[in-house]
Structures are given as structure tokens and as C-alpha cells.
Amino acid sequence: MSIPSRVLVGGGLAAALLVAAACNPPGSRTAASSDTSVAAKSFVPPGEKDEYYLFYSGGHSGQVYVAGLPSMRHISTIPVFAPYSATGYGFDQESKQMLGRFTWGDVHHPGLSQSSGKYDGRWLFVNDNANNRIARIDLRDFKTKQILGPIPNSSGNHGSSFVTENSEYVLVATRFSVPLPKGRYADPSAYKTEFNGMVSGIKIDPKTGEMAVGWQILTPPFNWDLGSTGKGPSSGWAFWTSYNSEMAHEKLEATSTQGERDYAAVVNWRAAEQAVKDGKATMLDGVAVLDPAKVAGVIYFLPVPKSPHGIDTDPSGRWIAASGKLQPVTSVFDFEKIQKAIAAKAFDGEVRGVPVIKYEAVIEGEVPVGLGPLHTQYDGKGNAYTSLYVESAVAKWTLPPWSDAQKKDLNTIISDKIPVHFNIGHLVVGGSDTKEPYGKYLVAMNKLSKGRHLSVGPSQPESSQLIDITGNKMTMLYEAYTEPEPHFAQILKADAIAPIEVYPKAENTHPNAVWDAAQTGVTRSGNKVEVKMVAIRSRFAPDRIDVRAGDEVTIHVTNVEQTTDMIHGLGIIEHDMNVVVDPGETKTVKFIAGKPGVYPFYCTNFCSALHQEMQGYLAVKP
Amino acid sequence: MEIVVKTRALAFASFLDRPVNGTGRLLLLLSIVALLAGGALPLWRISLVAPQYAEGLTLDMYAYQIVAGNNGQDLAEINTLNHYIGMKPIAQADFLEMRVLPFAIGVFALLALRAAIIGRIVTVVDLAVLFLYFGMFSLGSFVYRLYTYGHHLDPQAPMKITPFMPVVVGSQQIANFVQTSLPLAGTICMGAFFMLLVAVLVSSAREARREVV
């Protein structure tokens, strides 16, 4: 290339940059890399599988979304706290009973079960912030198996579902204090004296995963926010942040943000477990409750700068990072110092019998990560990643131990920052809450997508962005849009589980399962009609059910298929009924036969070439 | 000329009357192993591959059982699919052969054992001829079964297709499926049994010739 033409190109580039600069107001940033080679890093060709599962909480949809990483493709939705006609959840007797009187929930923080501080691929626990519940999803079949709650004495279950290192407990905490026991009236103006918070450990049966309330610790009416569990040196401990240690009850936006620090709870759950065993608990609403004013050593308060949100234990279990939403730092505490402070009684007084640990005695440093820090995740290589809500970015920084020079200026440990779009809440690094994080990918779950997608009107999805964290600098790879609303998520290596794809016939224990058309039938006793039905390509047997108006009809429908993806649905016209039955599964539906008439029923889940023909009649005589 | 024929006939008769030689007896014992292995191992595999069944549906035919792939599930799946074309469900209970074959194999094993211990060449000839007939009959019956399944289709079936002959050895396309049918180790063992009987005869014949020379 000759010199003049280079100058020309150079000049042209400069002009282009000038034009670009002129188009963007000061402070605006380009959205993301337009380098298409980045696309290859998240490309999973058709027919090939992702390397990781991503379990998104579905927020107030009440469900859990499953996506693959790195493709970010949504794979399926696991209904948990809300009916979901796509899988017939909340229509059959079993799931109806599990949902109880609620038709929604607010899923925030999925937690995978662990053994020895690593994911064991057995269960996924999710909390319901709205109705004080916790649910267990079995990863063998990706189905909700238990919903516990409303949990007594616990209200607004936000600080959940963090799992201890051997799945002994899953954490639960009160965000919205109420007068206890629940159902008791007290004037909200008597908030400080009449209302109480509670932090709880839900015991998990090691074999079945069945949950039951283990211990509860009574607290002042702070708003318990987020938590994490200990490991290594902090094994047997659990941590929660709170806001509103002012114990305000109105206009919280201002009244709860006056103090410079709020309290985190440092809970010795092994001691709490022992105290309950030793009979030191009082029964409240049928649950063993420990009053820390009477039982020492189960809970301590730790001051954290200002209105903290996330509190995250690092993979070693020694460092605990808590971020104050209203202060641009993440405070790093040293659990070894916490233990020493407790032993030496380095306290700054107490609150209602709970010792307050001296902040200066346990703080390792306040890392100036940026504006609006919320949550911190770890890659297991000594790096921490903190979400910055206000700044709309993720900051990468180095965990202690720090050199003296670094301690002098903690700005020096911030190694990278990447903008996200927009207003990130949680972020997740695979296995961050275990002893051995996967590293590799970070998913930023942003609260606002603000027009980054094709316009879908005022009701907007959230945006989730995939970031490569393998290099020194973070790289934005991909973004996807998720229905409202992912809060936290969990990442699980695909080969950590081997889900079944059909329910083996031999395992079906439903008392009314039938496997052959010859065994099906309709029986009546009084005004109750019971139907044993099979569904198979491409017919129902029986395909005619005769009842009288007002009869109570029970149908046990067995999908006798044993082939992957041969799913049948049973939808009954004008009866608000749709049950979907997986291969080898039996489901029971119960309903009152409507007005006289003939109501067709049909297979709702496309099954076969003659799916349209798979139908029958519910004939209702006067 | 007449004398030559007579001499040959006498030689052949005396050959038939010869006791099986040492090598022959060992080969007969070996043939029993091959026969029993043939009875235990799968004889034939029929597999069906389609876009939706990329990993294939398989049926392995044994002398005494049908083993379907995917823990037996493939048989149910094949029958479910076949009901659309009105094919009779394949059921092990319908295969009379699977009750007869184990008995027949036992008889052949005993006959081979008898030949190995007290046998003369004629016993081995009888055994080989009988087994050849038995083998061809079994194969013929298998082919006829396939023919029956492919031709006796329920006229009320949802899909009407032209009656067809499932392939016996090789592959062919049937609607969205590629059907492949191939002999497996059991059939090879059965063949080995027959070949070993032939080897016994050859070995003894060579020995007899050496003695004459």
C-alpha cells in the first residue's frame, strides 16, 4: 500500500470516529463488542448440547427457568409456585395439593444441594418470598416434589434458599417482620416492640430430601435480606444481611437508611441445632424457637456499611464479602478474625441480648468496587466479581490476602470492570457457593432491558448477559431475554446429573395406574364416578365417559408409553381442566361434571401423526 | 468296471463304518461348544432407524427369546408404531420356535457328544444332514414369519400400506424407517457347528485315504 492511500485510510478512520463520537453524548458507551469472532464462544450448533445448566429463578412468575450455557437457550420451565397448564401443573390432585391455596409465588434464590461443599446434583431448592414457602425440585426428573410452608413464624422469605455444605439445612429468613405468632394483630406503629424477625434452618432429610423446620432464632424486626452458608473455617455458620436496623415501619426508603451501618447476622447453626436438642428452645406455633437473649452463642450481629444486600462466602470459607447498596464499597470480613473476636468477646455492646461484633476487629478491607454494589461471586482462582446496580457494571477484584501496598490503596486490586445492560441485580459464576467453582462463565442478570430487544410494548423482559471470565479481562459474549424475573441463578455442569426421560413402569406406584385398555373402566358409587384411563398413541381408553350433571368425576390417567418425549395431555372442553402426563406417569384429576351436554376431551400435548384423532367424549346427562 | 464300482461302494461303506478318529473327536467336542454358544448368543438382529429414532429400535432374536433394545422398551415401541399399519403385535409367546429350538439344540448337542464318544462316521453324516435340514428349516420359518408380519395387515388400520416383505439380510426403506436385518454371533456359531462336522468328515476321509495308500 502506498503512503498516500494509508494517510487517506487513516484520515477516513479518524473522520468516522469523529462522526461516531459526535453521535454519542458524553458518557455514553458502545453497547457491546461487534466482533463476530465472539459469537463462536457461545455458539452451540444445532443438535449439540450445552456444557452447563443454568437454573434461573423466575421471580414473581413463581417458576424456575432452565437454560443451557453457553448458548443461553431456554430449554424448559419448571413450574413451582404457580399453575402451569403447559405441563398440567396445578391441575392434577397432587400438584394442586402442593400449591395449596396459592396461585403464585416469588422465586428468588435457587440453591443446589451439596455434599462436602460441592454440588451433588440431587435437588434444587427455591424460596417463595411472597408466601413464606420453600420448594424442592428433584433433578432426577426436574419436577417439584415438595412445597413446605407457609413456614410458621417466618414472613417474607427472601433470605433463602442457601444450602449448607452437606445439605443439612436450607436457610430461610424473615424479610417482612410481623407480630408473632402469625395471625396475631398488633398496631404497626408498635413495630419495634410487637414485631419480630426470624432466621431459620430447614432440615433436609439426607435420603429423601424431605424438608421440615429444624430451628428458628428470634430476632429484632430487621429486614433480613440475603444470606450464604459457611465452609472450611466457617463450616457450621450461616450469614444474613439486613436492612432497616432502625426498625422503621413506614416510608422505609428514607427511615431505614439513616444509620451508617446495618447488621448482618452471624449464626452458628451447629450451636442452634445443639441448643434445640438440649431443650433450650421454646415452642412457638409448633416450631422450636431459640431466643438469643436466653441462649448464648447461636447468633451475633456484625455491622456492615450501609443498607447491605448480598453477603457471600468465598470458596475457601474464610472471606465474606458484603456490599452496602448505598456505599460504593464491598466490605470483606475475615472469618478467622470473627472467630477470634467472638472468643475474645471483642463486642460493641449488644442488641436485645445479641452481641455486636466489633467492626474494626474483623474487617479486612473495604473494596471500592463502584456504585451500588450488590452481590459477589467467585471463580475459585482468587477473583471476586461484584455486581454494581447503580453503575450498571460488574467489577472484578482480587480476594485477600493483599500486600501492604494493595492494602494502602484498595483501588489497585480492582482488575477489570465491564458494563452490563442495564442495572444488574444478581450475577452468578458456576459453583461460586461451593469449594470448587467452575469459573469460566458469569451470567449478569439485569433488571432492565430498556429497549435492547425488538420492542414488545410496555411489558418488558429482563436481560441476562453471558460474560467470559477465563481471561484477565472479562468479555461480553451474548445476551438473552428472560421472562420476569430472574433474581439469582445456579449453574450446574451438565454431566453432574443424568435425568430420567421416562418414568419406568416398574417404579409407578400409583394405586390406580392401569397399563392396558382391558384394565380400564368407569365405576360409579353414588354421585362419584371414577375412571381408570390409559393414554397411548393415538387414543384414550376409555374414550367415552358417561356421567350425570353435578357428578364428582375422578380420572386416573396413565400414559403407558415408555418412549422419550411421548407425552400426552388430557384437556376437557369447558371444564378448566388440562393435565399432562409424561411417559410412565399416572395423574389423577378431580372435577364436577358441568351442565348437561357433551364435552369432548382431547390430547393437548402433540404426540403422534394421529394426535388430532386422539379424543373422546364426556357425556353429561341431565 | 463293475468291480471298480463295487470296490468303491465297499470302501465307502467301510469308511462310513469307521470310528471317528482322535482329531475328529476333539473337533466334535469343539462343535458342541459352538452349538451351545449358538444357542445362548443372539442369532439375528432387526433394527429400525428413523430421524426420530436416530439411535435405532432393535430386536435381537435368540434361539429362546427376543431381546429388545432400551431394556426391552423397543419391542413395545415397535408394536405401538406397527399398530398404525395394522401389523400384528410381535410377542415372544407367539414364537413356537423359541420353545422348540432349545430342545432341538439339546438333542443335537447330545448326538454330537454321542458321536464324539462312540461315534462312527455315519453318525456324523447323519448329524450333519439333520442339522443342515434343521438349520434351513429354521431359517425358512424365520423368513416366513417376517413375510406373515409384513403381509397380514389389519384392513381397519389407520394407515393403509402395501403389504411388504421385511428384508432378511440387508437394509431397506419402509416409510420413514430404514430396516436392517443381519445375522449375529449365534448364527455364526451355528454355522461353525456345521462346518466342524464337515471338518470331522474331511479329517477322517484324509486319514482313510492315507491308510489305503
Side-chain angles (χ1 to χ4, degrees):
Chain A
M1 190 183 279
S2 66
I3 291 163
S5 79
R6 253 192 222 169
V7 171
L8 216 73
V9 171
L13 260 176
L17 284 171
L18 270 171
V19 170
C23 288
N24 293 320
S28 76
R29 290 186 281 222
T30 48
S33 168
S34 58
D35 176 8
T36 51
S37 72
V38 167
K41 292 189 176 174
S42 63
F43 180 62
V44 178
E48 284 184 28
K49 287 171 188 171
D50 280 292
E51 192 182 353
Y52 298 95
Y53 287 99
L54 175 66
F55 296 97
Y56 279 115
S57 63
H60 43 289
S61 76
Q63 321 295 39
V64 168
Y65 306 126
V66 185
L69 284 187
S71 76
M72 301 285 278
R73 294 183 290 210
H74 175 256
I75 302 169
S76 85
T77 296
I78 307 172
V80 185
F81 293 118
Y84 188 59
S85 51
T87 60
Y89 186 79
F91 289 82
D92 65 295
Q93 288 302 101
E94 203 181 338
S95 57
K96 235 177 167 169
Q97 207 165 7
M98 238 180 354
L99 287 171
R101 63 196 161 100
F102 302 107
T103 59
W104 77 290
D106 190 2
V107 178
H108 277 247
H109 314 113
L112 286 165
S113 61
Q114 299 191 10
S115 295
S116 310
K118 283 177 267 175
Y119 297 146
D120 60 17
R122 300 175 74 189
W123 305 300
L124 181 74
F125 298 91
V126 292
N127 60 320
D128 170 15
N129 183 58
N131 301 311
N132 315 313
R133 294 175 294 172
I134 190 153
R136 184 183 80 252
I137 295 163
D138 195 328
L139 294 181
R140 183 172 181 250
D141 60 357
F142 282 53
K143 296 281 170 68
T144 305
K145 289 294 156 74
Q146 188 195 0
I147 295 177
L148 179 75
I151 298 165
N153 310 321
S154 193
S155 170
N157 183 26
H158 189 269
S160 184
S161 344
F162 310 103
V163 181
T164 59
E165 61 188 319
N166 285 300
S167 303
E168 297 95 339
Y169 292 95
V170 53
L171 304 185
V172 157
T174 286
R175 176 172 162 203
F176 306 120
S177 290
V178 291
L180 296 179
K182 284 195 276 187
R184 181 171 73 85
Y185 172 81
D187 193 319
S189 64
Y191 185 80
K192 272 188 200 182
T193 53
E194 290 296 322
F195 288 50
N196 270 102
M198 195 73 80
V199 292
S200 318
I202 304 298
K203 181 106 191 95
I204 303 165
D205 183 284
K207 283 212 180 80
T208 63
E210 201 70 8
M211 302 176 288
V213 181
W215 45 263
Q216 291 193 312
I217 302 172
L218 189 74
T219 73
F222 306 156
N223 293 51
W224 295 110
D225 200 9
L226 274 150
S228 68
T229 59
K231 55 177 101 52
S234 55
S235 173
W237 293 76
F239 312 95
W240 278 278
T241 50
S242 76
Y243 57 98
N244 190 25
S245 43
E246 295 85 348
M247 294 185 270
H249 67 280
E250 51 188 5
K251 302 188 189 81
L252 254 62
E253 181 181 54
T255 54
S256 74
T257 49
Q258 296 307 306
E260 278 309 306
R261 284 171 189 166
D262 286 286
Y263 292 119
V266 176
V267 171
N268 184 341
W269 63 256
R270 284 224 175 86
E273 185 180 51
Q274 192 56 44
V276 170
K277 263 187 209 155
D278 295 346
K280 292 180 184 168
T282 321
M283 294 306 281
L284 183 66
D285 204 1
V287 173
V289 175
L290 297 164
D291 181 351
K294 294 177 192 149
V295 187
V298 295
I299 184 170
Y300 302 88
F301 288 155
L302 172 64
V304 181
K306 181 163 179 186
S307 302
H309 196 49
I311 183 162
D312 299 287
T313 314
D314 91 311
S316 77
R318 180 173 175 188
W319 312 109
I320 295 146
S323 300
K325 300 189 289 263
L326 302 181
Q327 189 161 329
V329 299
T330 289
S331 305
V332 182
F333 298 96
D334 180 352
F335 191 77
E336 288 177 4
K337 287 186 189 166
I338 290 177
Q339 270 177 319
K340 278 182 201 148
I342 289 171
K345 294 197 163 35
F347 299 139
D348 260 342
E350 55 170 51
V351 176
R352 297 191 188 176
V354 179
V356 177
I357 298 168
K358 219 184 255 297
Y359 180 76
E360 294 72 21
V362 297
I363 184 78
E364 185 70 13
E366 293 181 353
V367 184
V369 286
L371 298 177
L374 295 183
H375 307 279
T376 301
Q377 294 278 288
Y378 309 95
D379 63 6
K381 292 172 203 131
N383 299 305
Y385 303 82
T386 300
S387 58
L388 305 173
Y389 177 82
V390 175
E391 200 172 318
S392 194
V394 172
K396 178 182 178 183
W397 49 278
T398 313
L399 275 172
W402 298 313
S403 68
D404 287 341
Q406 284 174 323
K407 276 186 196 164
K408 214 168 274 173
D409 181 10
L410 282 178
N411 279 303
T412 57
I413 66 158
I414 316 267
S415 53
D416 191 22
K417 206 175 258 191
I418 188 167
V420 291
H421 314 88
F422 301 95
N423 294 78
I424 182 172
H426 277 272
L427 75 180
V428 62
V429 170
S432 169
D433 52 355
T434 71
K435 285 179 177 168
E436 290 174 7
Y438 308 133
K440 203 158 180 177
Y441 298 115
L442 182 158
V443 177
M445 284 161 277
N446 309 311
K447 296 299 180 191
L448 306 179
S449 54
K450 277 200 112 156
R452 279 178 71 83
H453 43 78
L454 286 178
S455 180
V456 288
S459 193
Q460 302 256 314
E462 319 306 335
S463 96
S464 295
Q465 293 180 308
L466 180 71
I467 295 166
D468 181 349
I469 55 166
T470 52
N472 288 330
K473 296 287 172 192
M474 295 178 275
T475 316
M476 179 68 70
L477 298 183
Y478 196 72
E479 68 186 346
Y481 302 100
T482 321
E483 280 186 54
E485 163 178 321
H487 290 271
F488 190 42
Q490 294 267 273
I491 293 173
L492 181 65
K493 197 124 205 298
D495 60 14
I497 54 173
I500 55 166
E501 296 195 339
V502 301
Y503 290 101
K505 181 180 173 183
E507 281 181 23
N508 187 310
T509 54
H510 195 290
N512 293 300
V514 286
W515 296 90
D516 193 284
Q519 302 166 314
T520 61
V522 183
T523 50
R524 166 182 290 279
S525 107
N527 63 344
K528 291 187 171 134
V529 176
E530 195 165 16
V531 184
K532 289 182 186 175
M533 182 185 267
V534 299
I536 186 169
R537 274 163 284 170
S538 309
R539 58 196 183 276
F540 292 108
D543 60 359
R544 175 173 174 166
I545 301 168
D546 288 289
V547 298
R548 282 192 287 271
D551 278 346
E552 183 195 280
V553 185
T554 306
I555 304 176
H556 312 286
V557 54
T558 302
N559 177 349
V560 302
E561 309 276 5
Q562 290 281 281
T563 302
T564 298
D565 209 9
M566 205 42 73
I567 300 164
H568 297 296
L570 172 63
I572 307 173
I573 303 277
E574 291 178 17
H575 275 73
D576 194 31
M577 180 54 70
N578 176 46
V579 69
V580 178
V581 200
D582 293 337
E585 194 179 33
T586 304
K587 278 184 175 170
T588 299
V589 298
K590 202 177 258 190
F591 59 93
I592 304 295
K595 283 187 238 165
V598 176
Y599 302 92
F601 56 82
Y602 70 103
C603 181
T604 48
N605 205 104
F606 205 106
C607 58
S608 57
L610 296 174
H611 163 74
Q612 292 297 84
E613 283 76 0
M614 190 165 169
Q615 61 159 63
Y617 294 100
L618 173 71
V620 184
K621 285 182 194 146
Chain B
M1 188 68 192
E2 195 181 316
I3 290 162
V4 172
V5 173
K6 221 175 213 174
T7 318
R8 288 234 171 130
L10 276 173
F12 187 60
S14 86
F15 171 66
L16 286 179
D17 209 30
R18 277 175 75 94
V20 176
N21 66 1
T23 316
R25 282 167 206 270
L26 278 176
L27 290 174
L28 278 167
L29 288 175
L30 196 63
S31 79
I32 296 171
V33 175
L35 179 66
L36 295 179
L41 294 170
L43 297 169
W44 222 273
R45 166 168 293 181
I46 299 172
S47 62
L48 293 162
V49 176
Q52 308 85 336
Y53 297 91
E55 64 285 9
L57 299 167
T58 62
L59 291 183
D60 284 354
M61 318 300 286
Y62 286 68
Y64 61 99
Q65 65 172 356
I66 300 174
V67 172
N70 192 13
N71 293 319
Q73 175 47 34
D74 284 358
L75 179 61
E77 189 63 21
I78 288 169
N79 284 336
T80 302
L81 294 168
N82 283 345
H83 103 276
Y84 286 114
I85 57 166
M87 189 188 279
K88 189 171 179 277
I90 299 168
Q92 190 178 308
D94 293 345
F95 284 73
L96 186 64
E97 298 93 318
M98 291 183 182
R99 268 173 286 164
V100 174
L101 277 172
F103 177 79
I105 288 168
V107 168
F108 282 113
L110 282 173
L111 288 177
L113 188 63
R114 176 173 169 270
I117 298 166
I118 55 166
R120 290 173 183 279
I121 295 300
V122 68
T123 356
V124 180
V125 172
D126 287 349
L127 190 53
V129 170
L130 263 180
F131 186 79
L132 189 63
Y133 169 71
F134 162 79
M136 297 319 284
F137 185 89
S138 300
L139 197 62
S141 132
F142 175 61
V143 171
Y144 181 66
R145 280 230 170 251
L146 292 178
Y147 174 88
T148 313
Y149 277 113
H151 284 78
H152 295 185
L153 303 175
D154 182 354
Q156 299 298 315
M159 282 170 77
K160 313 273 184 272
I161 67 163
T162 318
F164 65 99
M165 179 61 206
V167 72
V168 180
V169 179
S171 288
Q172 73 174 354
Q173 186 89 27
I174 309 168
N176 55 332
F177 281 96
V178 175
Q179 181 228 337
T180 303
S181 180
L182 287 171
L184 291 181
T187 301
I188 292 163
C189 287
M190 291 293 189
F193 173 72
F194 180 76
M195 291 316 290
L196 283 165
L197 294 184
V198 172
V200 171
L201 296 177
V202 169
S203 154
S204 293
R206 277 190 185 156
E207 195 180 69
R209 203 170 299 149
R210 272 200 299 275
E211 279 169 18
V212 171
V213 171

